[in-house]
Amino acid sequence: EPEVTQTPSHQVTQMGQEVILRCVPISNHLYFYWYRQILGQKVEFLVSFYNNEISEKSEIFDDQFSVERPDGSNFTLKIRSTKLEDSAMYFCASSESDPPASTQYFGPGTRLTVL
Amino acid sequence: AQSVTQLGSHVSVSEGALVLLRCNYSSSVPPYLFWYVQYPNQGLQLLLKYTSAATLVKGINGFEAEFKKSETSFHLTKPSAHMSDAAEYFCAVRRGNTDKLIFGTGTRLQVFP
């Protein structure tokens, strides 16, 4: 069964460093998302991406964040200068068709630890 | 604004007992509702979703949920719990004009032998 994959599974970085989290969505999917879950808190929406541009973003997704689909398979989330509060589990998701009824399929997550 | 409330951060049941996980939503327009499950060290897996076709929705692993507009609820049930059902369960809502899923705080289900 096709699945969303994410690398790395765990990333440790120093505050102020740039990190890139990588995702490979399901191959025929057109809509891509990033969510995050700070330990003990809700899963929160960060951004959605369609047709090579951001279609929606939350207030969390400030100028320190960016997303890119550099080729036909990868979808990346970049944090330019990490802060301690960026420590969280980051989930990538993808869906095949138009929201809102379409199912978002989630990857296993990347645990980001900022020291 | 739309949101979901999951009552009970932890639920414990015996194997074979009924599972009932509660979710109430608030939405100014008819919502799309989802239940996801997260097993340890794994991502979120869709259990079932409500998209206004039928009020009783059947999902994977024997779970089902009933949409009750009058109660603004979408509770998740399973007649007989298995040990393998131990996981965290998330209710989520999405409005028709937005991409994002809004998640509840989650309910951790423990199943005792």
Side-chain angles (χ1 to χ4, degrees):
Chain A
E1 184 178 328
E3 57 184 21
V4 177
T5 59
Q6 291 185 243
T7 54
S9 56
H10 193 185
Q11 172 105 39
V12 181
T13 190
Q14 295 290 324
M15 191 170 55
Q17 294 297 304
E18 175 184 286
V19 294
I20 298 176
L21 309 183
R22 302 181 191 279
C23 168
V24 179
I26 295 173
S27 62
N28 63 334
H29 285 189
L30 300 175
Y31 297 80
F32 314 111
Y33 313 85
W34 284 101
Y35 291 79
R36 79 174 185 189
Q37 185 181 28
I38 295 172
L39 189 64
Q41 297 187 23
K42 291 183 183 185
V43 177
E44 302 172 289
F45 170 81
L46 291 178
V47 66
S48 58
F49 191 86
Y50 169 69
N51 201 24
N52 280 321
E53 60 183 29
I54 291 173
S55 51
E56 188 175 349
K57 61 182 181 179
S58 71
E59 59 276 8
I60 303 169
F61 194 88
D62 61 21
D63 292 344
Q64 291 299 311
F65 291 88
S66 63
V67 289
E68 190 180 26
R69 188 154 164 82
D71 52 43
S73 58
N74 290 282
F75 180 51
T76 62
L77 174 69
K78 181 193 290 186
I79 309 174
R80 288 190 183 80
S81 177
T82 50
K83 307 182 187 74
L84 294 176
E85 54 265 36
D86 294 327
S87 294
M89 181 73 91
Y90 288 81
F91 293 106
C92 174
S94 68
S95 65
E96 182 178 8
S97 58
D98 280 350
S102 59
T103 297
Q104 293 183 16
Y105 294 87
F106 284 77
T110 292
R111 181 168 297 285
L112 176 64
T113 302
V114 182
L115 302 175
Chain B
Q2 55 181 338
S3 66
V4 288
T5 302
Q6 291 185 244
L7 294 174
S9 57
H10 289 83
V11 170
S12 297
V13 300
S14 299
E15 194 172 20
L18 171 72
V19 175
L20 171 61
L21 306 181
R22 298 177 187 276
C23 173
N24 288 87
Y25 69 90
S26 66
S27 175
S28 55
V29 297
Y32 297 88
L33 292 157
F34 304 78
W35 274 101
Y36 281 84
V37 60
Q38 185 179 29
Y39 298 103
N41 301 315
Q42 294 187 29
L44 299 162
Q45 180 183 7
L46 181 73
L47 277 176
L48 50 79
K49 64 181 179 181
Y50 168 74
T51 58
S52 76
T55 56
L56 182 63
V57 182
K58 293 189 185 297
I60 62 171
N61 302 338
F63 284 93
E64 63 182 36
E66 186 172 7
F67 174 73
K68 291 187 177 180
K69 186 177 178 181
S70 60
E71 299 177 8
T72 61
S73 69
F74 189 58
H75 301 332
L76 182 71
T77 60
K78 181 173 180 178
S80 177
H82 294 164
M83 296 294 291
S84 59
D85 294 327
E88 186 133 23
Y89 292 80
F90 293 93
C91 183
V93 64
R94 185 163 67 208
R95 221 173 50 225
N97 60 350
T98 176
D99 296 344
K100 63 183 177 185
L101 286 169
I102 295 175
F103 285 86
T105 50
T107 298
R108 184 167 298 279
L109 176 67
Q110 286 185 303
V111 182
F112 293 100

